[in-house]
Amino acid sequence: MDTVLQDVEHFLAPILSRTSRAGRYNSVIDALSSELYGSPPTQEKGQYVDPRRRVMMQAVDLLQNFHHVLCTSKDNPDQHSASHRGQKLVEGLLDLVVLEGVYPSVSPGVGLPMEQRIKSALKGDLVVKPLYQEHGEQFQNQELLALIVGGLYPIISCRKGLASNIEIRVLVDLIAALGELAFSPAFAAESRHKHLVIFNDFIVSKSVPEILPLFTSLLHPSCPNWLRSPISSHLSLLPLRPNGVRQTINFIAGSATDGIDQRDGQSNQSLGPNFSLDTLGKISKLLTSIPSTMTADEYFTALASQLLDLLDDATIDNKRIASYIIGNGILGKRRIGSPGTIGWRLFAQPILESLHPPSDKCSVPEKDLRRAVDRLSALVQYHPNPGLTKRLVVPILLPLWGLQGYALDNHRTNWVNQIHQIFSTYMKISMTVSHILLLSDNLLWDGSASWTFMPGDRGGIEIRRRGNSADQTKSTDDLIQTIDNRVEQYSRLLQMAVLVDDQLALVFTHVSKRWLDASQFASGYQPFGLDAESRDPLVPLVSAIIAQKLLEDFKDRISSSCSGILQLIEPILSSFVRVHQRTTERQLMAPSLRGLGEIAVNDVGDDDKGDEPETISTALSLLSVVLAPSGKSIDTSSNGYLQSIQDSLKYIAGATFSLDKSITMSASNNLILLQLHSDISKHSESPKRDPIIDAHADDRKEHCTALLHLSDDLIPVRAQGLSILTQLISKASPVLSIPSTSILLTSLLQDEDEYIYLTAIKALGLLSMNHPRTVVKLLIERYADPHEESTLDVRIKVGEALKKTIEHLGHLFVGEAATLAGETMIAVASRRGDRKKTLQKRNTAKRKLEKARQEAEIAWDGEVPGEEDDGAKDQEGKMNEHAARVVEGWADTDREEDIRIRTSALSILGTAMETNIAGLGANITSTAIDCVLAILKLEKSHERAILRRAGVLVIMSLIRALDAANEQDHQLDFGFAGENLTDVITVLRYIEVTDTDEMVVGHIRVVIESLETWRQKPLQNMLRRTDRRPMELELDEGRLAGLAVRPAVRPVIEEID
């Protein structure tokens, strides 16, 4: 082992040794070749010898020898490879092979970008140039790539020795080289096929968690299409492996979690990983991407079992993810999710057939029925889509209603609650009035003609073939209880549904007609979904109970829609008057034998008319509610009904001898109320004036619906309400109150759901287009938070909204709004903040944490034990500890503002400059630059690096703004010039040398380069103009062309004849 290590040290000495002379050479290859082999030979045995190939062969041989010794050593192989000396030497060899062998030989865009690679272990006087270009051109060296892959791939396949070192350090680079050999069109087909076999063997040998990070890192924007296509195809096949879907989800979720900023003092309230909509979108996009080698039917048939297992999982996060993938990624796409397509057949049709089995299948076991309800509940509730919810629920609306009713009658509480949640979501986002009427017409629905609901074998519910009807007849008490239960459930649905008063009145009118208007049934009226055979005596009874319940729960809302109620009452009163007139006429006829016979017949039928007084009393009571003096006016379109009702009331009020006193008194009172409305109408209306029409009635209804949706607990319902509100803002509807709407949208920025607050930011930007001062002022007040009422997270979200609002305003960002925004951002970004309450809260939290630690130490009688860390865990723990210290440094600023909010303010300030620097003005711009320079010079700690980065970017934004103004020929009264420009460059160059943060230094270099370019731009523009029109420098009428200077005219002596 020592011999091998000495050989490696000798080989790498020219570039690793402190006394090496590698700096004399142009490249690492020249240094190694010259120092080890003398002057690079060009001929050996009559053939050209490539120095790069010679060095790579030697490096690969050394790695193979090292690996062989490790595998054959009797000692612990890991001890040698993990030693500091051996580790550094192996890393140096691997970096040499990759940086000087692989990357110079592959096509542009193949492999990792250099900034994403692990920092090279090759150090010394020579600067390593991994993308060295020979003769000024990128070249592909198939022989060299094959040499490297052929030498190192067997080591990886061995899975011992140096295999782990290679996989950790350069595996992705070797896969890039192998992909070049297997797919590059520049190579022969035979050679590509040979390496394609190796590429496929590698994929088969690795698990999904091992392949995913490798392949996704290779798919960057500059990756060539001939490599992107096969890698994407292999990626899309990974979920089809056993447990591939879960492993893919875990990988994407883990990648997203790494990028989430830690929040100080804020605990995660979610039930599992933080799956944002963006993360779910990435998961769905990857899992629903169909491989080029398979059809959609083949792919989703193979994938369905894993997705359904996730949907059936007891974990809420798994259900949520699966419902998003199935609902949005598959069923939400017309090509693969519409009825009849593969997605619908696999995921939706089994649910529908289990809840509404076809006539040839009249049995559904309890297990299948329960699973169908669970899957439907997950798809509808977790990520409901209005269109998908409607497609899933409407075909099984009656079976769901019947199942809920049966579960309620038999005390199956879990079933009732779950189906109620499905109905709740449906009523809020996809409901139509026709479906509500369908339920009222089929309130007692308990199954189709061939099947019904029965007790299940596990104490639940199942579907069985319908038996003898006599065996299923309920007692009167049970039937009344069933009706009451279902009427109560129906009323609860109406309370959840977002119905305007007119729609609710329409439901009441429809139900009341079925109860009161007997002529409808006599004329062949056929309700929704009912056959003629289904009309039984229970229908009027059920309708009467529903109407009574609606009056109890929605009396005020129903009465507000006068037209429909009057249309209902008018035929009832007219019919009653006609019947009473005929009866009275018969009673007044002269005595005869025929009359005696009719008296006998009428006596027999008296029992059938026992409901008439109750019916007319109900109609009169409802009419009194409509006519009661409440400030509401009756639509003039109802004048015809009012005249008929008035005539009927006069008749009923006058029939004091033949009608009950309570009926005549009620008619008289209603007649007085009706006369009062008529008098008001006569005095208020003008014969020459057209009736007043509310031109914005639809907008008012939409605004009301939006407010109801926004107060809901379901995220999709709030999202729909926000969408409606955004549409009203887009068309500048006059029904909106700008201050109230601004406050409402600002409050939505505190919503935990990412989609809600991002859409609220967009809506605020649209609102600011017409009302910039109001919106910007409100956002600035919330952002500055002078009373310390908001959390850091909320302030940052408000800052994001303010930034987007400024971008939306563009050149309208002027005046008071621009001045207030600029001054506030400078105040927040500077060290002027005085956050006493925040400091007290932070100190209180520290004291509680310290107290908990002391109590734990007392309980453990000493130091609290922690987990035993191995090397990898120890390294990860150190990284987490470092990140925690940085986050703590951001917040621990005594009474000053948090570093993160100051960074946010600088970002907003830069956006304001780029949007409209003229609106900010010279004073604010100058103060902002002074603030930035002070931050760069004074705040040098590691925790404040993000603040310095943002400060440098503010200067960059100023340069861009000045450059854009020059390009657009906008004359500004200020800019970089003279001493100001010199001071800025001096500070930037000083920070470039002294700052320890690489990103700050990189930003400064870009800014300095941009400044130099901006200074030279006027000269470049002048030179471009001279290319089109040569400059004239000759004297013209005593002036110098191009200069505003008149030269002194010297006297000329002329000789005169």
Side-chain angles (χ1 to χ4, degrees):
M1 175 58 68
D2 292 336
T3 304
V4 175
L5 292 176
Q6 290 175 2
D7 292 341
V8 176
E9 286 180 336
H10 175 70
F11 176 73
L12 295 177
I15 57 175
L16 293 182
S17 174
R18 295 182 179 180
T19 60
S20 70
R21 296 173 295 171
R24 301 185 304 160
Y25 302 101
N26 294 326
S27 69
V28 172
I29 297 299
D30 289 346
L32 289 173
S33 180
S34 299
E35 292 291 328
L36 296 175
Y37 311 113
S39 298
T42 56
Q43 295 288 333
E44 186 175 299
K45 296 182 180 180
Q47 296 182 350
Y48 171 74
V49 177
D50 181 12
R52 186 181 301 274
R53 184 175 183 275
R54 188 173 186 174
V55 171
M56 290 300 107
M57 287 180 62
Q58 181 69 19
V60 171
D61 288 342
L62 287 173
L63 286 170
Q64 289 176 335
N65 293 338
F66 203 140
H67 173 71
H68 177 71
V69 171
L70 287 176
C71 293
T72 57
S73 175
K74 295 181 180 180
D75 299 332
N76 184 6
D78 295 335
Q79 180 179 356
H80 299 287
S81 63
S83 66
H84 180 72
R85 178 188 177 197
Q87 186 76 18
K88 298 301 292 183
L89 292 175
V90 170
E91 290 178 356
L93 281 176
L94 292 175
D95 288 343
L96 175 66
V97 170
V98 168
L99 297 178
E100 297 294 340
V102 172
Y103 281 101
S105 305
V106 296
S107 303
V110 175
L112 283 177
M114 284 298 104
E115 60 272 12
Q116 296 182 13
R117 282 202 81 259
I118 300 175
K119 192 172 182 180
S120 173
L122 300 176
K123 299 179 181 179
D125 297 332
L126 181 65
V127 178
V128 180
K129 299 178 181 179
L131 293 179
Y132 175 69
Q133 298 179 352
E134 190 167 330
H135 305 300
E137 296 181 357
Q138 180 75 26
F139 69 100
Q140 296 171 296
N141 194 328
Q142 181 182 9
E143 183 181 359
L144 185 58
L145 286 177
L147 170 69
I148 295 172
V149 172
L152 298 185
Y153 185 75
I155 298 178
I156 299 174
S157 304
C158 182
R159 293 187 176 274
K160 58 182 181 179
L162 289 181
S164 61
N165 300 75
I166 295 177
E167 289 186 356
I168 294 174
R169 191 77 182 179
V170 296
L171 182 58
V172 65
D173 308 303
L174 291 181
I175 297 306
L178 186 56
E180 176 85 22
L181 293 170
F183 302 109
S184 175
F187 300 148
E190 182 179 354
S191 174
R192 292 204 308 269
H193 177 73
K194 172 186 173 182
H195 290 94
L196 180 60
V197 174
I198 302 176
F199 189 85
N200 292 332
D201 289 342
F202 169 79
I203 294 175
V204 173
S205 66
K206 295 295 181 182
S207 64
V208 174
E210 292 174 319
I211 296 177
L212 276 171
L214 294 176
F215 280 12
T216 52
S217 62
L218 294 176
L219 292 178
H220 47 80
S222 58
C223 178
N225 290 331
W226 52 262
L227 181 61
R228 179 187 300 274
S229 179
I231 289 182
S232 300
S233 179
H234 282 292
L235 272 177
S236 58
L237 288 171
L238 292 180
L240 299 183
R241 293 190 181 186
N243 212 28
V245 170
R246 289 178 184 264
Q247 293 171 343
T248 302
I249 292 172
N250 290 336
F251 168 73
I252 299 178
S255 302
T257 304
D258 292 339
I260 297 175
D261 293 336
Q262 301 181 22
R263 307 292 185 191
D264 60 314
Q266 297 179 8
S267 60
N268 188 2
Q269 300 296 328
S270 66
L271 299 175
N274 190 352
F275 292 110
S276 64
L277 284 179
D278 182 59
T279 303
L280 291 175
K282 292 178 181 178
I283 294 173
S284 176
K285 183 178 180 181
L286 179 58
L287 292 180
T288 57
S289 298
I290 303 172
S292 57
T293 57
M294 302 178 70
T295 63
D297 288 17
E298 294 172 343
Y299 177 70
F300 287 112
T301 301
L303 190 70
S305 60
Q306 294 193 60
L307 289 178
L308 291 175
D309 287 344
L310 276 180
L311 194 63
D312 297 335
D313 197 286
T315 307
I316 294 180
D317 282 319
N318 289 338
K319 283 181 175 291
R320 182 180 292 112
I321 296 169
S323 66
Y324 187 89
I325 297 170
I326 296 173
N328 291 59
I330 299 176
L331 296 178
K333 298 178 180 178
R334 179 176 299 179
R335 184 172 59 89
I336 57 177
S338 59
T341 60
I342 182 62
W344 186 265
R345 295 197 304 269
L346 289 173
F347 300 104
Q349 192 168 324
I351 297 176
L352 303 184
E353 290 183 352
S354 295
L355 286 163
H356 198 326
S359 57
D360 58 342
K361 179 189 175 183
C362 298
S363 176
V364 179
E366 178 185 346
K367 179 182 69 174
D368 295 343
L369 187 61
R370 179 84 236 188
R371 184 171 57 212
V373 173
D374 287 342
R375 290 178 178 178
L376 178 64
S377 176
L379 291 174
V380 168
Q381 289 186 66
Y382 288 124
H383 296 284
N385 175 284
L388 178 61
T389 301
K390 187 175 182 179
R391 284 191 288 144
L392 289 175
V393 175
V394 170
I396 53 173
L397 189 63
L398 288 182
L400 274 178
W401 176 255
L403 179 59
Q404 185 187 33
Y406 182 86
L408 187 63
D409 294 339
N410 292 273
H411 309 291
R412 305 294 195 272
T413 307
N414 292 335
W415 293 73
V416 173
N417 294 337
Q418 195 168 22
I419 299 174
H420 178 73
Q421 289 298 325
I422 295 174
F423 272 120
S424 174
T425 305
Y426 167 73
M427 285 292 174
K428 291 174 180 177
I429 65 176
S430 302
M431 175 275 310
T432 60
V433 177
S434 61
H435 297 152
I436 292 180
L437 299 180
L438 177 64
L439 293 180
S440 69
D441 294 339
N442 298 272
L443 196 78
L444 299 179
W445 198 90
D446 64 346
S448 69
S450 57
W451 58 264
T452 187
F453 300 105
M454 295 287 184
D457 55 358
R458 300 180 181 181
I461 306 172
E462 64 183 17
I463 293 177
R464 294 188 219 157
R465 185 178 297 277
R466 203 180 271 279
N468 187 359
S469 59
D471 298 335
Q472 301 175 8
T473 303
K474 294 183 177 181
S475 65
T476 304
D477 292 341
D478 291 342
L479 183 60
I480 295 300
Q481 183 63 40
T482 297
I483 294 175
D484 290 340
N485 289 340
R486 299 208 178 188
V487 168
E488 183 65 31
Q489 290 296 106
Y490 186 75
S491 178
R492 289 179 61 188
L493 288 184
L494 291 181
Q495 291 173 4
M496 291 183 297
V498 184
L499 292 173
V500 297
D501 294 347
D502 290 342
Q503 293 174 322
L504 193 58
L506 177 62
V507 174
F508 175 77
T509 303
H510 174 81
V511 173
S512 300
K513 279 183 179 180
R514 289 170 58 87
W515 168 33
L516 300 174
D517 195 355
S519 63
Q520 293 286 350
F521 291 95
S523 62
Y525 171 75
Q526 185 170 343
F528 299 100
L530 286 178
D531 300 327
E533 320 178 325
S534 301
R535 298 193 202 120
D536 54 42
L538 287 177
V539 172
L541 174 62
V542 171
S543 300
I545 297 176
I546 295 176
Q548 183 179 0
K549 183 65 175 175
L550 294 180
L551 278 178
E552 292 176 1
D553 296 343
F554 309 102
K555 180 178 180 180
D556 293 338
R557 296 181 60 189
I558 290 174
S559 63
S560 64
S561 180
C562 304
S563 178
I565 307 300
L566 294 177
Q567 292 178 29
L568 169 66
I569 294 174
E570 188 274 332
I572 296 174
L573 297 180
S574 299
S575 176
F576 177 80
V577 168
R578 288 195 300 270
V579 172
H580 189 271
Q581 286 175 341
R582 288 198 299 268
T583 303
T584 303
E585 290 174 358
R586 284 196 301 267
Q587 293 175 351
L588 296 177
M589 290 171 56
S592 65
L593 293 176
R594 181 180 178 183
L596 292 175
E598 289 182 356
I599 292 173
V601 173
N602 290 337
D603 290 341
V604 174
D606 284 344
D607 293 340
D608 298 333
K609 299 179 182 179
D611 288 340
E612 286 186 0
E614 181 180 354
T615 302
I616 197 65
S617 298
T618 303
L620 291 173
S621 298
L622 185 59
L623 180 61
S624 65
V625 173
V626 175
L627 299 178
S630 60
K632 298 189 297 287
S633 60
I634 299 177
D635 189 1
T636 55
S637 61
S638 303
N639 286 341
Y641 297 108
L642 288 175
Q643 185 61 46
S644 175
I645 289 173
Q646 187 175 19
D647 295 340
S648 299
L649 289 176
K650 288 180 179 178
Y651 177 84
I652 296 172
T656 55
F657 296 101
S658 56
L659 292 178
D660 189 86
K661 183 177 180 181
S662 61
I663 294 178
T664 58
M665 287 293 294
S666 179
S668 300
N669 293 336
N670 279 294
L671 195 60
I672 295 173
L673 293 174
L674 184 59
Q675 186 64 40
L676 178 63
H677 274 279
S678 300
D679 293 341
I680 293 174
S681 300
K682 290 177 181 179
H683 287 88
S684 60
E685 67 181 7
S686 173
K688 296 183 180 180
R689 183 178 298 173
D690 294 333
I692 299 175
I693 300 176
D694 188 359
H696 307 291
D698 293 339
D699 285 358
R700 297 185 194 280
K701 291 180 180 179
E702 290 184 359
H703 187 237
C704 179
T705 302
L707 295 179
L708 289 174
H709 281 333
L710 288 172
S711 61
D712 199 273
D713 294 333
L714 288 175
I715 293 175
V717 179
R718 296 203 302 274
Q720 188 180 17
L722 188 54
S723 176
I724 296 174
L725 187 61
T726 304
Q727 293 175 5
L728 293 175
I729 294 173
S730 299
K731 62 181 182 181
S733 175
V735 303
L736 295 175
S737 169
I738 303 307
S740 301
T741 305
S742 302
I743 294 173
L744 174 62
L745 292 174
T746 307
S747 66
L748 291 176
L749 297 177
Q750 304 180 29
D751 199 291
E752 295 180 357
D753 186 75
E754 182 180 3
Y755 178 81
I756 298 296
Y757 76 76
L758 289 179
T759 308
I761 290 174
K762 176 183 176 183
L764 280 168
L766 294 174
L767 189 64
S768 67
M769 296 299 293
N770 294 323
H771 309 277
R773 181 180 177 276
T774 303
V775 176
V776 172
K777 185 177 181 181
L778 177 63
L779 289 175
I780 288 174
E781 289 177 355
R782 292 293 181 91
Y783 185 77
D785 189 29
H787 303 294
E788 302 183 54
E789 298 173 346
S790 301
T791 63
L792 173 68
D793 192 38
V794 172
R795 293 180 68 192
I796 290 178
K797 288 180 180 179
V798 173
E800 186 177 356
L802 180 59
K803 184 177 179 180
K804 294 294 183 183
T805 301
I806 292 173
E807 291 176 349
H808 272 92
L809 288 175
H811 292 295
L812 297 177
F813 182 61
V814 293
E816 183 183 356
T819 302
L820 184 60
E823 292 175 349
T824 304
M825 294 308 108
I826 293 173
V828 174
S830 63
R831 306 175 70 174
R832 307 176 197 170
D834 188 11
R835 315 287 291 184
K836 296 180 182 178
K837 295 181 181 179
T838 305
L839 178 61
Q840 292 176 357
K841 293 178 182 178
R842 192 161 56 241
N843 292 337
T844 303
K846 286 182 179 180
R847 285 193 296 269
K848 289 182 179 179
L849 186 62
E850 180 63 23
K851 182 178 179 181
R853 186 187 65 80
Q854 292 176 359
E855 292 176 352
E857 289 180 352
I858 294 174
W860 283 96
D861 194 18
E863 186 177 355
V864 179
E867 297 182 357
E868 296 181 0
D869 298 334
D870 55 15
K873 289 184 179 179
D874 183 58
Q875 183 178 2
E876 182 180 356
K878 290 181 179 179
M879 294 177 62
N880 293 337
E881 183 180 354
H882 173 71
R885 283 200 304 268
V886 172
V887 174
E888 184 180 359
W890 290 344
D892 193 7
T893 56
D894 198 37
R895 290 166 62 171
E896 295 180 6
E897 290 278 11
D898 190 291
I899 299 298
R900 285 162 288 187
I901 201 68
R902 294 178 62 193
T903 303
S904 169
L906 288 176
S907 176
I908 298 171
L909 195 58
T911 300
M913 287 183 179
E914 292 191 46
T915 301
N916 188 10
I917 191 172
L920 289 176
N923 291 335
I924 292 178
T925 304
S926 176
T927 306
I929 297 302
D930 290 341
C931 177
V932 167
L933 295 180
I935 289 173
L936 292 176
K937 290 186 291 185
L938 300 177
E939 307 196 36
K940 307 290 290 182
S941 63
H942 180 66
E943 293 80 8
R944 298 175 184 253
I946 59 171
L947 190 63
R948 299 196 300 276
R949 296 171 192 170
V952 177
L953 293 179
V954 170
I955 300 177
M956 190 67 191
S957 297
L958 177 59
I959 298 172
R960 291 181 182 142
L962 295 175
D963 182 62
N966 290 336
E967 292 289 337
Q968 299 170 6
D969 292 332
H970 289 170
Q971 298 297 325
L972 298 176
D973 298 332
F974 56 91
F976 273 145
E979 294 182 0
N980 292 336
L981 180 58
T982 305
D983 292 343
V984 170
I985 294 179
T986 301
V987 173
L988 291 178
R989 293 196 182 278
Y990 170 74
I991 301 301
E992 180 186 6
V993 176
T994 59
D995 203 295
T996 57
D997 186 77
E998 295 182 358
M999 192 171 294
V1000 173
V1001 174
H1003 287 346
I1004 287 178
R1005 289 173 180 169
V1006 174
V1007 168
I1008 292 175
E1009 183 180 352
S1010 301
L1011 273 173
E1012 296 294 341
T1013 304
W1014 177 75
R1015 293 172 66 181
Q1016 298 174 6
K1017 211 162 190 180
L1019 179 60
Q1020 294 173 355
N1021 293 337
M1022 184 178 65
L1023 293 176
R1024 281 197 296 268
R1025 287 195 298 268
T1026 59
D1027 291 339
R1028 296 189 295 267
R1029 180 175 57 85
M1031 295 181 63
E1032 298 178 357
L1033 298 177
E1034 69 277 4
L1035 289 172
D1036 182 13
E1037 297 182 359
R1039 294 176 59 99
L1040 290 176
L1043 297 177
V1045 178
R1046 181 179 297 275
V1049 180
R1050 301 178 64 181
V1052 178
I1053 300 176
E1054 295 183 1
E1055 185 175 343
I1056 301 175
D1057 292 337

